[in-house]
Amino acid sequence: MSQNTLAAHPPAAARTAAPVFKPRRKTGTFVFNALVFLLYLFLLAPLLIVVVISFASNQYLSFPPEGFTLDWYAALPGQETFMSGLRISLITASAVTVLVLILGVPAALALARFRFKGKAAIQAFFLSPLMIPSIVLALGLVLLFGPLKLNNTYAGIIIGHIAVTFPFVVRTTLMSLATTDTSCEEAARILGGDSWTVFRRITLPLIRPGVIAGGVIAFIVSFDEAVISLFVAESGLPTLPVQVLRYVENSADAAVAALSVLLILFSMAVVVIVERVMGLRKAL
Amino acid sequence: MNNPKLSIVDLTKRYAPGLDPAVDCLSMSVEEGHLVALLGPSGCGKTTTLRMVAGLMDPTSGSIMVDGKDITQTPVHKRGMGMVFQSYALFPHMDVAQNVAFGLQMRKVGSKEQNRRVVEALDLVKLGHLAGRQVKELSGGQQQRIAIARALVVEPTLLLLDEPLSNLDAKLRENMRTEIRSIQQRTGATTLFVTHDQDEALDMADRIAVMNGGIIEQYGAPAEVYERPQTHFVADFIGQANFFASAVVADDGAAADGERSYVVDVDGFGRFGAVGAAGLAGSTHEIVVRPHRLKTSLQQPAGPFIEGVIERVSYTGDSLSLGLRAGGKELLSQMPTASSGIPRLGQTAYLSWDPADAFIIPGTAGIPHGTERPATADALAAQDVA
């Protein structure tokens, strides 16, 4: 009998204890969610305002909206400056992505897999553009490109953008390399693979997430870059960000807002597609 | 060994000038079809040696020869070796069959032939049904076998195994030992096997090279290395051992296998019999007696004995391990269990041995056993001559 009461006791206690904890956890979750919501609101507010304004019938860039219209979107294809800017930006960003991967991946490979003199210094040098203000870099490039006749050329912008995006590619590739087992490469070499075959069939597939992440970041950074493009090629080859800057200087309607919304969607699409297809998150 | 498959001559690896070499002037040869274990504690140079044979590492000096041909300068991918890594190093982005086929593709084997040999290799490791699986779906033991199949499918000149069992759990490890040994014997692949596990080496190898500090302390068949250790390190590293500093007093005639019987004066315990190589009389050496060769009894035996107090008893069912203290020395002994008369702590036990079970370690000459020991040995030797 006494055994029975003992056995029955703990579950009863647990039952009474459970409702005491539940509401407290609920309040905690609510406060946490509210804080997260506010944080996101704060971060995304500028974007949201741009989205709202792009549909507003206000004559000038202003808030709050006075009515709904799709005119700003409809007008975009007719804006020759935007369309040519977009073309220049896409060409630049594509070329930069390809070239920076061709340069950056082997550089990262050398840093990760070989031992040589001055390795630490070279690594610091490769990553240094992240720490230099891009306006300083841009000024230097203009002065350097003058005598080389590279100002206002694709070559000039692309070189400038490679300098800015190179550290990203080296970084993401190094991260992937650090997590791959070098014995896979050794096994492939022992099985008869020469250096190039081993790189192509083993190393590259293994570090693919890092390479893709680096490529995506390089594309977006180059596509978005304004300072170097402005300094190096404002008059000759104005990229989309340069055209947007110019447009805002001269006129104040919401066409820029509509363009911005499309660019946001474009960037999101790139990231989402790459994530879905290749698993970007693994590398970041 | 008139026609060694692999010979290593004066192989040296120094990672940086000024550092002690990781592998120091190492020479050995391996007979065709043999499985040779490189056995030693971590940092003894065994893996470095294996990696130099594989070509993954350049030796500082010395040469490596396979089938009489110097391959020291041959790049890794042209050596035609097969290697199984500690981590297995299967290619995670390929399925099982693609992993196994990789080496064949590198050799430009036709696709029909490839398929046939992949199936054959997978059957050899009894995993034919897993050909289409992804690598990460496999258990550790399966990955291990795939790694072996991948190494063997190319019919390598040498099969190199780098601690292949250390990532498996104890039960699986036992099975894989037998499995690897049987695959190796069926294929006849000359194999170099790195391990720090002496049981593994004794169980699997045709020859064991016991390594320490970048050199081979002893190279021989498992029984030889265990029963006739040439140095203190070998005796100590392989199996359990009792060491006694002893003065070899007199030659007592021929023993089996061309060895000599000796009378030895064991430091502090009196005169016993032991065996050893010829010409040891008059010198000071260590003798080694394995715990299970120490005859332990609770009654005084007829011949010479060592009296000790039982300090530790460990009962494992089929054997009984004893730790004894005798004259300030800790000794280990092992005896078969009986249904009655189990020794108790604090009891006095008497240890003795057959002369054939005590081996005079030749490599320990001149080791200072005690401050006055060499002098005493000399005196004893002089007495005997007189």
Side-chain angles (χ1 to χ4, degrees):
Chain A
M1 203 55 209
S2 67
Q3 267 178 349
N4 262 344
T5 49
L6 269 177
H9 195 66
R15 233 179 286 134
T16 50
V20 179
F21 281 111
K22 244 189 181 168
R24 204 189 275 171
R25 203 153 74 219
K26 247 185 186 163
T27 352
T29 324
F30 176 76
V31 171
F32 178 74
N33 285 342
L35 281 173
V36 169
F37 176 77
L38 285 173
L39 184 67
Y40 271 102
L41 193 69
F42 175 72
L43 289 173
L44 295 175
L47 296 184
L48 290 175
I49 288 175
V50 168
V51 172
V52 171
I53 286 179
S54 74
F55 292 108
S57 57
N58 305 20
Q59 198 67 36
Y60 301 106
L61 275 174
S62 61
F63 203 77
E66 287 158 10
F68 178 82
T69 178
L70 287 173
D71 288 353
W72 304 121
Y73 287 92
L76 281 182
Q79 287 278 2
E80 185 40 43
T81 50
F82 285 167
M83 297 320 282
S84 77
L86 179 66
R87 198 172 56 244
I88 293 167
S89 279
L90 283 176
I91 292 171
T92 307
S94 308
V96 165
T97 305
V98 171
L99 291 172
V100 81
L101 287 179
I102 291 174
L103 294 172
V105 172
L109 203 61
L111 285 175
R113 293 288 189 259
F114 300 116
R115 283 199 291 173
F116 48 88
K117 258 203 175 133
K119 180 167 147 174
I122 287 176
Q123 184 155 1
F125 175 71
F126 280 173
L127 300 176
S128 63
L130 286 178
M131 278 151 260
I132 296 173
S134 52
I135 198 147
V136 175
L137 189 63
L139 191 63
L141 285 172
V142 172
L143 297 174
L144 183 70
F145 286 168
L148 295 173
K149 307 240 178 303
L150 285 174
N151 282 326
N152 294 315
T153 63
Y154 273 115
I157 314 180
I158 290 169
I159 291 172
H161 284 191
I162 286 176
V164 183
T165 53
F166 188 72
F168 291 105
V169 173
V170 171
R171 262 282 164 77
T172 55
T173 309
L174 272 178
M175 263 157 65
S176 269
L177 279 167
T179 54
T180 56
D181 186 0
T182 49
S183 57
C184 277
E185 290 162 22
E186 291 178 342
R189 282 162 69 200
I190 289 178
L191 286 169
D194 56 41
S195 313
W196 172 242
T197 312
V198 171
F199 173 74
R200 197 170 48 85
R201 299 226 20 213
I202 308 295
T203 316
L204 199 54
L206 291 182
I207 61 171
R208 210 179 61 162
V211 173
I212 288 168
V216 169
I217 294 172
F219 186 89
I220 291 175
V221 167
S222 165
F223 191 77
D224 194 43
E225 208 287 327
V227 180
I228 290 173
S229 308
L230 197 63
F231 271 64
V232 170
E234 194 202 349
S235 51
L237 284 168
T239 60
L240 191 55
V242 172
Q243 293 289 22
V244 170
L245 260 172
R246 280 179 174 178
Y247 190 86
V248 177
E249 273 171 4
N250 299 327
S251 38
D253 61 40
V256 167
L259 180 67
S260 304
V261 170
L262 292 182
L263 291 180
I264 291 166
L265 291 176
F266 174 71
S267 295
M268 275 168 64
V270 169
V271 172
V272 168
I273 289 169
V274 170
E275 157 61 23
R276 277 293 139 82
V277 177
M278 332 232 191
L280 177 64
R281 207 177 301 158
K282 255 194 289 179
L284 296 173
Chain B
M1 263 200 229
N2 35 8
N3 236 340
K5 180 77 179 170
L6 165 73
S7 12
I8 296 173
V9 184
D10 295 340
L11 197 65
T12 301
K13 177 69 185 179
R14 208 180 278 274
Y15 284 106
L19 281 184
D20 279 342
V23 173
D24 193 1
C25 226
L26 181 141
S27 297
M28 72 187 287
S29 37
V30 177
E31 221 173 297
E32 173 104 51
H34 268 189
L35 189 153
V36 170
L38 297 174
L39 172 67
S42 53
C44 72
K46 56 191 193 299
T47 298
T48 306
T49 305
L50 191 80
R51 291 175 66 82
M52 286 192 282
V53 172
L56 294 171
M57 204 177 258
D58 291 326
T60 309
S61 63
S63 57
I64 299 163
M65 289 186 295
V66 172
D67 294 321
K69 231 182 81 219
D70 192 321
I71 59 155
T72 319
Q73 302 303 324
T74 312
V76 201
H77 65 280
K78 294 203 171 127
R79 290 197 183 187
M81 308 245 173
M83 182 154 169
V84 175
F85 290 79
Q86 191 171 1
S87 61
Y88 316 136
L90 295 178
F91 310 134
H93 56 296
M94 300 183 191
D95 68 20
V96 167
Q98 286 169 331
N99 260 282
V100 178
F102 187 85
L104 298 172
Q105 287 162 8
M106 294 301 111
R107 283 162 178 73
K108 310 253 185 301
V109 173
S111 65
K112 241 186 179 167
E113 169 87 354
Q114 260 185 44
N115 290 340
R116 189 184 61 75
R117 282 169 72 177
V118 168
V119 168
E120 216 176 80
L122 287 176
D123 284 344
L124 181 73
V125 296
K126 299 177 189 148
L127 290 179
H129 55 292
L130 296 182
R133 287 284 186 86
Q134 287 303 307
V135 167
K136 50 178 170 288
E137 298 168 29
L138 304 179
S139 70
Q142 289 170 333
Q143 289 193 24
Q144 154 105 83
R145 289 198 230 182
I146 299 301
I148 293 171
R150 184 179 68 179
L152 282 174
V153 75
V154 298
E155 287 164 8
T157 47
L158 287 173
L159 179 62
L160 309 172
L161 308 173
D162 185 9
E163 304 248 6
L165 302 177
S166 59
N167 284 346
L168 300 174
D169 57 64
K171 180 94 178 99
L172 198 53
R173 203 178 304 165
E174 293 277 306
N175 293 340
M176 279 314 290
R177 267 191 208 171
T178 336
E179 186 79 27
I180 290 180
R181 181 59 166 154
S182 102
I183 291 171
Q184 187 266 334
Q185 280 172 335
R186 264 180 290 156
T187 55
T190 312
T191 305
L192 213 52
F193 180 104
V194 162
T195 180
H196 63 266
D197 183 333
Q198 35 126 349
D199 289 333
E200 228 166 82
L202 290 172
D203 185 15
M204 296 170 66
D206 293 299
R207 294 278 183 280
I208 298 176
V210 185
M211 292 187 64
N212 182 34
I215 60 161
I216 293 180
E217 295 253 349
Q218 188 173 354
Y219 183 43
E224 211 178 301
V225 172
Y226 183 80
E227 302 288 352
R228 295 293 179 258
Q230 298 300 302
T231 66
H232 176 91
F233 176 84
V234 173
D236 197 30
F237 190 75
I238 299 187
Q240 289 181 304
N242 294 301
F243 294 101
F244 301 96
S246 310
V248 182
V249 178
D251 194 319
D252 202 23
D257 303 324
E259 288 181 324
R260 308 290 297 177
S261 287
Y262 291 98
V263 175
V264 293
D265 186 47
V266 176
D267 194 9
F269 297 114
R271 293 194 175 197
F272 290 82
V275 295
L280 293 175
S283 55
T284 310
H285 285 283
E286 256 185 331
I287 64 170
V288 55
V289 188
R290 299 294 181 186
H292 63 278
R293 300 271 165 73
L294 266 185
K295 288 191 281 188
T296 313
S297 77
L298 300 177
Q299 280 85 44
Q300 267 189 29
F305 60 84
I306 292 173
E307 191 179 320
V309 178
I310 299 174
E311 282 190 326
R312 209 155 37 74
V313 178
S314 120
Y315 178 83
T316 59
D318 40 40
S319 80
L320 196 61
S321 296
L322 299 176
L324 303 108
R325 182 155 295 278
K329 224 174 138 62
E330 174 119 28
L331 299 175
L332 300 167
S333 89
Q334 236 170 47
M335 54 197 286
T337 48
S339 41
S340 60
I342 292 175
R344 291 186 317 276
L345 290 180
Q347 244 180 331
T348 301
Y350 302 92
L351 304 169
S352 59
W353 59 78
D354 281 337
D357 288 335
F359 181 67
I360 305 169
I361 304 174
T364 52
I367 285 186
H369 303 122
T371 40
E372 82 282 47
R373 176 63 17 204
T376 324
D378 284 347
L380 281 165
Q383 246 176 34
D384 249 71
V385 171

mmCIF file with all atom_site columns, all heavy atoms in Angstrom, chain B residues 332-348:
data_model
loop_
_atom_site.group_PDB
_atom_site.id
_atom_site.type_symbol
_atom_site.label_atom_id
_atom_site.label_alt_id
_atom_site.label_comp_id
_atom_site.label_asym_id
_atom_site.label_entity_id
_atom_site.label_seq_id
_atom_site.pdbx_PDB_ins_code
_atom_site.Cartn_x
_atom_site.Cartn_y
_atom_site.Cartn_z
_atom_site.occupancy
_atom_site.B_iso_or_equiv
_atom_site.pdbx_formal_charge
_atom_site.auth_seq_id
_atom_site.auth_comp_id
_atom_site.auth_asym_id
_atom_site.auth_atom_id
_atom_site.pdbx_PDB_model_num
ATOM 1   N N   . LEU B 1 332 ? 55.661 -8.887  -12.397 1.00 0.00 ? 332 LEU B N   1
ATOM 2   C CA  . LEU B 1 332 ? 54.359 -9.324  -12.889 1.00 0.00 ? 332 LEU B CA  1
ATOM 3   C C   . LEU B 1 332 ? 54.421 -10.810 -13.174 1.00 0.00 ? 332 LEU B C   1
ATOM 4   O O   . LEU B 1 332 ? 55.409 -11.304 -13.716 1.00 0.00 ? 332 LEU B O   1
ATOM 5   C CB  . LEU B 1 332 ? 54.015 -8.610  -14.195 1.00 0.00 ? 332 LEU B CB  1
ATOM 6   C CG  . LEU B 1 332 ? 53.932 -7.089  -14.145 1.00 0.00 ? 332 LEU B CG  1
ATOM 7   C CD1 . LEU B 1 332 ? 53.894 -6.528  -15.554 1.00 0.00 ? 332 LEU B CD1 1
ATOM 8   C CD2 . LEU B 1 332 ? 52.711 -6.666  -13.352 1.00 0.00 ? 332 LEU B CD2 1
ATOM 9   N N   . SER B 1 333 ? 53.365 -11.508 -12.792 1.00 0.00 ? 333 SER B N   1
ATOM 10  C CA  . SER B 1 333 ? 53.314 -12.907 -13.195 1.00 0.00 ? 333 SER B CA  1
ATOM 11  C C   . SER B 1 333 ? 51.893 -13.257 -13.573 1.00 0.00 ? 333 SER B C   1
ATOM 12  O O   . SER B 1 333 ? 50.946 -12.558 -13.213 1.00 0.00 ? 333 SER B O   1
ATOM 13  C CB  . SER B 1 333 ? 53.830 -13.817 -12.081 1.00 0.00 ? 333 SER B CB  1
ATOM 14  O OG  . SER B 1 333 ? 52.777 -14.170 -11.228 1.00 0.00 ? 333 SER B OG  1
ATOM 15  N N   . GLN B 1 334 ? 51.786 -14.322 -14.341 1.00 0.00 ? 334 GLN B N   1
ATOM 16  C CA  . GLN B 1 334 ? 50.477 -14.745 -14.787 1.00 0.00 ? 334 GLN B CA  1
ATOM 17  C C   . GLN B 1 334 ? 50.394 -16.234 -14.577 1.00 0.00 ? 334 GLN B C   1
ATOM 18  O O   . GLN B 1 334 ? 51.359 -16.949 -14.817 1.00 0.00 ? 334 GLN B O   1
ATOM 19  C CB  . GLN B 1 334 ? 50.335 -14.450 -16.282 1.00 0.00 ? 334 GLN B CB  1
ATOM 20  C CG  . GLN B 1 334 ? 49.150 -13.592 -16.622 1.00 0.00 ? 334 GLN B CG  1
ATOM 21  C CD  . GLN B 1 334 ? 49.215 -13.138 -18.053 1.00 0.00 ? 334 GLN B CD  1
ATOM 22  O OE1 . GLN B 1 334 ? 49.460 -13.940 -18.938 1.00 0.00 ? 334 GLN B OE1 1
ATOM 23  N NE2 . GLN B 1 334 ? 49.026 -11.852 -18.268 1.00 0.00 ? 334 GLN B NE2 1
ATOM 24  N N   . MET B 1 335 ? 49.263 -16.719 -14.107 1.00 0.00 ? 335 MET B N   1
ATOM 25  C CA  . MET B 1 335 ? 49.126 -18.154 -13.957 1.00 0.00 ? 335 MET B CA  1
ATOM 26  C C   . MET B 1 335 ? 47.719 -18.559 -14.358 1.00 0.00 ? 335 MET B C   1
ATOM 27  O O   . MET B 1 335 ? 46.791 -17.765 -14.282 1.00 0.00 ? 335 MET B O   1
ATOM 28  C CB  . MET B 1 335 ? 49.432 -18.563 -12.519 1.00 0.00 ? 335 MET B CB  1
ATOM 29  C CG  . MET B 1 335 ? 48.615 -17.834 -11.474 1.00 0.00 ? 335 MET B CG  1
ATOM 30  S SD  . MET B 1 335 ? 49.320 -17.982 -9.836  1.00 0.00 ? 335 MET B SD  1
ATOM 31  C CE  . MET B 1 335 ? 48.919 -19.668 -9.452  1.00 0.00 ? 335 MET B CE  1
ATOM 32  N N   . PRO B 1 336 ? 47.593 -19.810 -14.825 1.00 0.00 ? 336 PRO B N   1
ATOM 33  C CA  . PRO B 1 336 ? 46.244 -20.280 -15.137 1.00 0.00 ? 336 PRO B CA  1
ATOM 34  C C   . PRO B 1 336 ? 45.443 -20.384 -13.850 1.00 0.00 ? 336 PRO B C   1
ATOM 35  O O   . PRO B 1 336 ? 46.007 -20.646 -12.787 1.00 0.00 ? 336 PRO B O   1
ATOM 36  C CB  . PRO B 1 336 ? 46.480 -21.654 -15.770 1.00 0.00 ? 336 PRO B CB  1
ATOM 37  C CG  . PRO B 1 336 ? 47.847 -22.049 -15.366 1.00 0.00 ? 336 PRO B CG  1
ATOM 38  C CD  . PRO B 1 336 ? 48.616 -20.809 -15.063 1.00 0.00 ? 336 PRO B CD  1
ATOM 39  N N   . THR B 1 337 ? 44.161 -20.119 -13.919 1.00 0.00 ? 337 THR B N   1
ATOM 40  C CA  . THR B 1 337 ? 43.368 -20.182 -12.705 1.00 0.00 ? 337 THR B CA  1
ATOM 41  C C   . THR B 1 337 ? 43.007 -21.619 -12.382 1.00 0.00 ? 337 THR B C   1
ATOM 42  O O   . THR B 1 337 ? 42.829 -22.448 -13.268 1.00 0.00 ? 337 THR B O   1
ATOM 43  C CB  . THR B 1 337 ? 42.060 -19.378 -12.847 1.00 0.00 ? 337 THR B CB  1
ATOM 44  O OG1 . THR B 1 337 ? 41.455 -19.749 -14.082 1.00 0.00 ? 337 THR B OG1 1
ATOM 45  C CG2 . THR B 1 337 ? 42.319 -17.908 -12.818 1.00 0.00 ? 337 THR B CG2 1
ATOM 46  N N   . ALA B 1 338 ? 42.914 -21.903 -11.106 1.00 0.00 ? 338 ALA B N   1
ATOM 47  C CA  . ALA B 1 338 ? 42.430 -23.203 -10.652 1.00 0.00 ? 338 ALA B CA  1
ATOM 48  C C   . ALA B 1 338 ? 41.146 -22.929 -9.892  1.00 0.00 ? 338 ALA B C   1
ATOM 49  O O   . ALA B 1 338 ? 40.881 -21.794 -9.489  1.00 0.00 ? 338 ALA B O   1
ATOM 50  C CB  . ALA B 1 338 ? 43.459 -23.861 -9.743  1.00 0.00 ? 338 ALA B CB  1
ATOM 51  N N   . SER B 1 339 ? 40.348 -23.982 -9.718  1.00 0.00 ? 339 SER B N   1
ATOM 52  C CA  . SER B 1 339 ? 39.065 -23.756 -9.059  1.00 0.00 ? 339 SER B CA  1
ATOM 53  C C   . SER B 1 339 ? 39.237 -23.467 -7.569  1.00 0.00 ? 339 SER B C   1
ATOM 54  O O   . SER B 1 339 ? 38.352 -22.946 -6.918  1.00 0.00 ? 339 SER B O   1
ATOM 55  C CB  . SER B 1 339 ? 38.148 -24.961 -9.273  1.00 0.00 ? 339 SER B CB  1
ATOM 56  O OG  . SER B 1 339 ? 38.888 -26.148 -9.133  1.00 0.00 ? 339 SER B OG  1
ATOM 57  N N   . SER B 1 340 ? 40.406 -23.805 -7.021  1.00 0.00 ? 340 SER B N   1
ATOM 58  C CA  . SER B 1 340 ? 40.618 -23.475 -5.616  1.00 0.00 ? 340 SER B CA  1
ATOM 59  C C   . SER B 1 340 ? 42.040 -22.973 -5.441  1.00 0.00 ? 340 SER B C   1
ATOM 60  O O   . SER B 1 340 ? 42.850 -23.054 -6.364  1.00 0.00 ? 340 SER B O   1
ATOM 61  C CB  . SER B 1 340 ? 40.379 -24.716 -4.747  1.00 0.00 ? 340 SER B CB  1
ATOM 62  O OG  . SER B 1 340 ? 41.293 -25.722 -5.137  1.00 0.00 ? 340 SER B OG  1
ATOM 63  N N   . GLY B 1 341 ? 42.325 -22.468 -4.284  1.00 0.00 ? 341 GLY B N   1
ATOM 64  C CA  . GLY B 1 341 ? 43.682 -22.037 -3.982  1.00 0.00 ? 341 GLY B CA  1
ATOM 65  C C   . GLY B 1 341 ? 44.080 -20.778 -4.706  1.00 0.00 ? 341 GLY B C   1
ATOM 66  O O   . GLY B 1 341 ? 45.204 -20.628 -5.170  1.00 0.00 ? 341 GLY B O   1
ATOM 67  N N   . ILE B 1 342 ? 43.149 -19.836 -4.846  1.00 0.00 ? 342 ILE B N   1
ATOM 68  C CA  . ILE B 1 342 ? 43.480 -18.561 -5.464  1.00 0.00 ? 342 ILE B CA  1
ATOM 69  C C   . ILE B 1 342 ? 44.344 -17.741 -4.501  1.00 0.00 ? 342 ILE B C   1
ATOM 70  O O   . ILE B 1 342 ? 43.992 -17.591 -3.328  1.00 0.00 ? 342 ILE B O   1
ATOM 71  C CB  . ILE B 1 342 ? 42.186 -17.788 -5.815  1.00 0.00 ? 342 ILE B CB  1
ATOM 72  C CG1 . ILE B 1 342 ? 41.447 -18.534 -6.931  1.00 0.00 ? 342 ILE B CG1 1
ATOM 73  C CG2 . ILE B 1 342 ? 42.506 -16.357 -6.235  1.00 0.00 ? 342 ILE B CG2 1
ATOM 74  C CD1 . ILE B 1 342 ? 40.111 -17.940 -7.272  1.00 0.00 ? 342 ILE B CD1 1
ATOM 75  N N   . PRO B 1 343 ? 45.491 -17.249 -4.966  1.00 0.00 ? 343 PRO B N   1
ATOM 76  C CA  . PRO B 1 343 ? 46.372 -16.483 -4.089  1.00 0.00 ? 343 PRO B CA  1
ATOM 77  C C   . PRO B 1 343 ? 45.682 -15.228 -3.570  1.00 0.00 ? 343 PRO B C   1
ATOM 78  O O   . PRO B 1 343 ? 44.861 -14.638 -4.269  1.00 0.00 ? 343 PRO B O   1
ATOM 79  C CB  . PRO B 1 343 ? 47.549 -16.115 -5.002  1.00 0.00 ? 343 PRO B CB  1
ATOM 80  C CG  . PRO B 1 343 ? 47.454 -17.002 -6.178  1.00 0.00 ? 343 PRO B CG  1
ATOM 81  C CD  . PRO B 1 343 ? 46.029 -17.361 -6.325  1.00 0.00 ? 343 PRO B CD  1
ATOM 82  N N   . ARG B 1 344 ? 46.006 -14.853 -2.338  1.00 0.00 ? 344 ARG B N   1
ATOM 83  C CA  . ARG B 1 344 ? 45.401 -13.669 -1.745  1.00 0.00 ? 344 ARG B CA  1
ATOM 84  C C   . ARG B 1 344 ? 46.447 -12.570 -1.592  1.00 0.00 ? 344 ARG B C   1
ATOM 85  O O   . ARG B 1 344 ? 47.650 -12.814 -1.585  1.00 0.00 ? 344 ARG B O   1
ATOM 86  C CB  . ARG B 1 344 ? 44.821 -14.019 -0.369  1.00 0.00 ? 344 ARG B CB  1
ATOM 87  C CG  . ARG B 1 344 ? 43.601 -14.921 -0.412  1.00 0.00 ? 344 ARG B CG  1
ATOM 88  C CD  . ARG B 1 344 ? 43.011 -15.104 0.977   1.00 0.00 ? 344 ARG B CD  1
ATOM 89  N NE  . ARG B 1 344 ? 44.033 -15.336 2.004   1.00 0.00 ? 344 ARG B NE  1
ATOM 90  C CZ  . ARG B 1 344 ? 44.572 -16.532 2.269   1.00 0.00 ? 344 ARG B CZ  1
ATOM 91  N NH1 . ARG B 1 344 ? 44.197 -17.598 1.581   1.00 0.00 ? 344 ARG B NH1 1
ATOM 92  N NH2 . ARG B 1 344 ? 45.484 -16.644 3.214   1.00 0.00 ? 344 ARG B NH2 1
ATOM 93  N N   . LEU B 1 345 ? 45.937 -11.353 -1.467  1.00 0.00 ? 345 LEU B N   1
ATOM 94  C CA  . LEU B 1 345 ? 46.827 -10.217 -1.237  1.00 0.00 ? 345 LEU B CA  1
ATOM 95  C C   . LEU B 1 345 ? 47.624 -10.439 0.033   1.00 0.00 ? 345 LEU B C   1
ATOM 96  O O   . LEU B 1 345 ? 47.104 -10.967 1.022   1.00 0.00 ? 345 LEU B O   1
ATOM 97  C CB  . LEU B 1 345 ? 45.996 -8.931  -1.081  1.00 0.00 ? 345 LEU B CB  1
ATOM 98  C CG  . LEU B 1 345 ? 45.320 -8.410  -2.344  1.00 0.00 ? 345 LEU B CG  1
ATOM 99  C CD1 . LEU B 1 345 ? 44.549 -7.131  -2.021  1.00 0.00 ? 345 LEU B CD1 1
ATOM 100 C CD2 . LEU B 1 345 ? 46.346 -8.152  -3.425  1.00 0.00 ? 345 LEU B CD2 1
ATOM 101 N N   . GLY B 1 346 ? 48.891 -10.059 0.017   1.00 0.00 ? 346 GLY B N   1
ATOM 102 C CA  . GLY B 1 346 ? 49.714 -10.139 1.213   1.00 0.00 ? 346 GLY B CA  1
ATOM 103 C C   . GLY B 1 346 ? 50.360 -11.490 1.410   1.00 0.00 ? 346 GLY B C   1
ATOM 104 O O   . GLY B 1 346 ? 51.232 -11.644 2.253   1.00 0.00 ? 346 GLY B O   1
ATOM 105 N N   . GLN B 1 347 ? 49.935 -12.485 0.629   1.00 0.00 ? 347 GLN B N   1
ATOM 106 C CA  . GLN B 1 347 ? 50.543 -13.806 0.730   1.00 0.00 ? 347 GLN B CA  1
ATOM 107 C C   . GLN B 1 347 ? 51.943 -13.789 0.127   1.00 0.00 ? 347 GLN B C   1
ATOM 108 O O   . GLN B 1 347 ? 52.240 -12.963 -0.739  1.00 0.00 ? 347 GLN B O   1
ATOM 109 C CB  . GLN B 1 347 ? 49.692 -14.813 -0.043  1.00 0.00 ? 347 GLN B CB  1
ATOM 110 C CG  . GLN B 1 347 ? 49.078 -15.867 0.842   1.00 0.00 ? 347 GLN B CG  1
ATOM 111 C CD  . GLN B 1 347 ? 48.256 -16.844 0.039   1.00 0.00 ? 347 GLN B CD  1
ATOM 112 O OE1 . GLN B 1 347 ? 47.710 -16.498 -1.009  1.00 0.00 ? 347 GLN B OE1 1
ATOM 113 N NE2 . GLN B 1 347 ? 48.151 -18.051 0.540   1.00 0.00 ? 347 GLN B NE2 1
ATOM 114 N N   . THR B 1 348 ? 52.761 -14.693 0.587   1.00 0.00 ? 348 THR B N   1
ATOM 115 C CA  . THR B 1 348 ? 54.083 -14.810 -0.004  1.00 0.00 ? 348 THR B CA  1
ATOM 116 C C   . THR B 1 348 ? 54.031 -15.824 -1.144  1.00 0.00 ? 348 THR B C   1
ATOM 117 O O   . THR B 1 348 ? 53.425 -16.881 -1.009  1.00 0.00 ? 348 THR B O   1
ATOM 118 C CB  . THR B 1 348 ? 55.106 -15.286 1.043   1.00 0.00 ? 348 THR B CB  1
ATOM 119 O OG1 . THR B 1 348 ? 55.116 -14.335 2.105   1.00 0.00 ? 348 THR B OG1 1
ATOM 120 C CG2 . THR B 1 348 ? 56.503 -15.383 0.449   1.00 0.00 ? 348 THR B CG2 1
#
